[in-house]
């Protein structure tokens, strides 16, 4: 790649990015792919082992009255332990150069569709400029009480803005390097939900809006406290320098490191804080609650 010959403007932008997000090393996408090939191969091997293991598990009994087979539950507990180790590391997701930015498809339209098999942007529930300007994220506390909502206008104007170039990974096996513009969720919650900073989880939902009489099933993503607090977890309203389209989650979505796409919830309408282990759209369908990588 001849991408090292950056223009002064690009170099300056990169310096600003590094300063703003404090996220350490920035390497080219080509180098990163070279480096990660080996870890991908061992990940693939793990996947095969996991599949064989799962088939064996299904014939094994439960440890007590739970319906989860004992060995599988041990696996989930192991997963939780690994996750907690990562948290203690204070790890940061790798970020990239602005010259590595790629296009990204619209993927996953749950909570966004105006017709049952909508694919085009025009088939999605449109958030008008007026609706976007008045948009609020409603919140309920751990005791179930309603908190004051977070106005999107405040998200956009009252906090430090961060730009982050990182790799979005979908569980379907594709990834793209994209740039997000947003503010830290932790900055916003410190101001708008100071009594909820000890809550173990925040369950974010895409509101079930109606358009043309069809009620779309809502999407949800349960986000653990470590992730809510992480300096690279953003409420984002721009993607690759453009305001979010409806398909990409207008007017505001979540971006969070170490999590697959299923946790990058688009069009956030509410957050419910809880200390109980929650479920969300994809955990209801058998995915791991943390969906980390
Ligand atoms: N509301 C909502 N958010 C969602 C989804 C969805 O179906 N509905 N899909 C998720 C998945 S699986 C992925 S990979 C990303 C894709 O984001 P993009 O469409 O901006 O590429 O959105 C995530 N957020
Ligand atoms: Mo995804």
């Amino acid at each position: 790649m001849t991408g090292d010959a950056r223009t002064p403007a690009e170099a300056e932008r990169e310096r600003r990015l590094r300063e703003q997000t404090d996220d350490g090393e920035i390497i080219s996408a080509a180098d990163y792919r070279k480096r990660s090939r080996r870890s991908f191969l061992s990940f693939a091997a793990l996947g095969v082992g996991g599949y064989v293991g799962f088939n064996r598990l299904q014939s094994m009994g439960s440890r007590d009255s739970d319906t989860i087979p004992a060995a599988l539950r041990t696996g989930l507990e192991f997963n939780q332990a690994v996750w907690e180790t990562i948290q203690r590391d204070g790890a940061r997701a790798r970020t990239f150069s602005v010259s590595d930015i790629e296009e990204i498809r619209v993927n996953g339209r749950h909570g966004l569709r105006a017709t049952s098999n909508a694919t085009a942007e025009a088939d999605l529930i449109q958030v008008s400029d007026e609706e976007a300007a008045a948009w609020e994220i409603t919140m309920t506390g751990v005791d179930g009480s309603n908190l004051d909502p977070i106005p999107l206008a405040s998200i956009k104007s009252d906090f430090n803005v961060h730009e982050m170039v990182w790799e979005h990974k979908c569980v379907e096996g594709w990834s793209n390097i994209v740039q997000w513009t947003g503010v830290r969720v932790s900055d916003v919650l410190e101001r708008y939900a100071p009594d909820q900073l000890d809550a173990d989880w925040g369950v974010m939902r895409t509101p079930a809006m109606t358009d043309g009489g069809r009620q779309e099933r809502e999407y949800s993503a349960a986000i653990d406290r470590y992730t809510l607090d992480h300096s690279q977890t953003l409420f984002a309203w721009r993607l690759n320098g453009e305001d979010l389209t409806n398909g990409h989650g207008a007017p505001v979505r979540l971006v969070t490191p170490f999590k697959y796409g299923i946790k990058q919830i688009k069009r956030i309408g509410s957050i419910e804080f809880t200390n109980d282990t929650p479920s969300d759209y994809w955990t209801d369908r058998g995915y791991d609650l943390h969906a980390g990588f």
Side-chain angles (χ1 to χ4, degrees), residues 135-185:
W135 194 268
E136 293 181 332
I137 298 176
T138 60
M139 293 189 290
T140 51
V142 287
D143 64 358
S145 61
N146 292 326
L147 310 177
D148 287 342
I150 311 169
L152 178 58
S154 170
I155 289 179
K156 286 181 169 183
S157 58
D158 295 340
F159 302 92
N160 285 333
V161 174
H162 298 269
E163 286 181 321
M164 178 170 73
V165 180
W166 75 305
E167 186 176 30
H168 173 99
K169 293 189 196 183
C170 175
V171 290
E172 293 162 1
W174 54 270
S175 67
N176 286 115
I177 292 172
V178 288
Q179 180 187 44
W180 300 102
T181 305
V183 296
R184 287 183 177 151
V185 168

Side-chain angles (χ1 to χ4, degrees), residues 88-166:
R88 279 194 297 273
D89 269 343
R92 306 180 62 81
R94 188 179 300 287
T95 55
F96 297 87
S97 153
V98 285
S99 60
D100 292 324
I101 290 172
E102 301 171 320
E103 292 286 312
I104 184 171
R105 77 198 77 179
V106 169
N107 199 65
R109 295 170 178 82
H110 302 291
L112 306 176
R113 291 174 295 205
T115 61
S116 56
N117 56 359
T119 51
E121 173 77 6
D123 295 334
L124 302 178
I125 298 171
Q126 308 289 308
V127 170
S128 68
D129 290 348
E130 295 72 44
E131 284 172 304
W135 194 268
E136 293 181 332
I137 298 176
T138 60
M139 293 189 290
T140 51
V142 287
D143 64 358
S145 61
N146 292 326
L147 310 177
D148 287 342
I150 311 169
L152 178 58
S154 170
I155 289 179
K156 286 181 169 183
S157 58
D158 295 340
F159 302 92
N160 285 333
V161 174
H162 298 269
E163 286 181 321
M164 178 170 73
V165 180
W166 75 305

Side-chain angles (χ1 to χ4, degrees), residues 5-47:
R6 303 217 168 95
T7 65
E10 278 172 343
E12 167 60 14
R13 197 164 158 68
E14 226 184 275
R15 190 194 59 74
R16 255 195 331 115
L17 261 179
R18 211 179 278 129
E19 204 172 63
Q20 281 183 349
T21 59
D22 180 32
D23 37 22
E25 191 188 16
I26 296 181
I27 65 171
S28 80
D31 284 350
Y32 174 70
R33 294 216 160 103
K34 226 177 287 163
R35 279 197 222 170
S36 54
R37 196 165 298 135
R38 202 177 339 146
S39 50
F40 173 75
L41 288 176
S42 38
F43 179 74
L46 266 180

Side-chain angles (χ1 to χ4, degrees), residues 104-112 168-172 174 180 206 219-220 239 244 247-249 253 260-267 281-282:
I104 184 171
R105 77 198 77 179
V106 169
N107 199 65
R109 295 170 178 82
H110 302 291
L112 306 176
H168 173 99
K169 293 189 196 183
C170 175
V171 290
E172 293 162 1
W174 54 270
W180 300 102
T206 302
Y219 190 80
S220 56
L239 163 60
L244 291 174
H248 285 302
R253 72 179 288 166
Y260 281 105
I262 56 177
K263 294 292 186 183
Q264 318 292 325
I265 182 172
K266 302 190 267 198
R267 188 170 290 171
Y281 187 91
W282 284 111

